[in-house]
Amino acid sequence: MTDERGNDVVRVERAGHTLVVTLTREAKRNALSPAVTEGVDAAMNRLEDDPELWCAVLTG
């Protein structure tokens, strides 16, 4: 997910049965913003919809 400036603020990667969701908004100490909230929501929807994903790790 990207913010209004086109910066990547949430990176989502699959590692086997785990979804790794990384907040990449270091300049703002990973504070929530509309783009971050939208990115995390999309990642959680992906986790919920894919039966092959068993868990998620949220990191920053």
Side-chain angles (χ1 to χ4, degrees):
M1 183 62 49
T2 58
D3 64 9
E4 61 281 349
R5 294 184 179 131
N7 298 321
D8 187 28
V9 293
V10 178
R11 186 175 61 239
V12 180
E13 301 171 271
R14 185 182 188 128
H17 296 288
T18 303
L19 194 65
V20 180
V21 182
T22 306
L23 305 182
T24 59
R25 196 170 180 238
E26 295 91 2
K28 297 292 184 177
R29 298 184 183 197
N30 288 328
L32 295 179
S33 69
V36 172
T37 303
E38 187 177 332
V40 172
D41 181 54
M44 295 302 106
N45 287 336
R46 180 176 171 184
L47 174 65
E48 184 176 14
D49 294 342
D50 187 341
E52 294 299 314
L53 287 171
W54 297 350
C55 65
V57 174
L58 178 62
T59 185

